[in-house]
Amino acid sequence: MILWILLFLLILVVFGFGFTMQALWWAAAVLLVVWIFGFARRGRGGGRRSRGRRYGRSRG
């Protein structure tokens, strides 16, 4: 009986770990898409003009 309980607990742990890893992969994929979208929306220009706009006021 103890062996069946231990086997059941092992199955639950493995299933939980697999579910967690799957959820983390999905979260990483969503964050990657958001990062790429933000990079494409902002553009490649990172000069003084964008810094002044980003931080509120310019220093010069």
Side-chain angles (χ1 to χ4, degrees):
M1 183 68 178
I2 297 291
L3 187 61
W4 284 108
I5 293 173
L6 290 175
L7 182 65
F8 182 69
L9 288 175
L10 181 66
I11 290 170
L12 284 177
V13 168
V14 170
F15 176 75
F17 184 71
F19 179 75
T20 302
M21 292 304 293
Q22 182 73 19
L24 289 176
W25 276 108
W26 279 107
V30 168
L31 289 175
L32 179 66
V33 168
V34 168
W35 180 73
I36 290 173
F37 179 72
F39 183 76
R41 186 172 175 216
R42 187 183 70 176
R44 294 183 187 167
R48 289 181 180 252
R49 193 182 71 176
S50 66
R51 283 189 196 142
R53 186 179 67 223
R54 183 175 178 187
Y55 294 117
R57 57 181 169 165
S58 61
R59 294 185 177 186

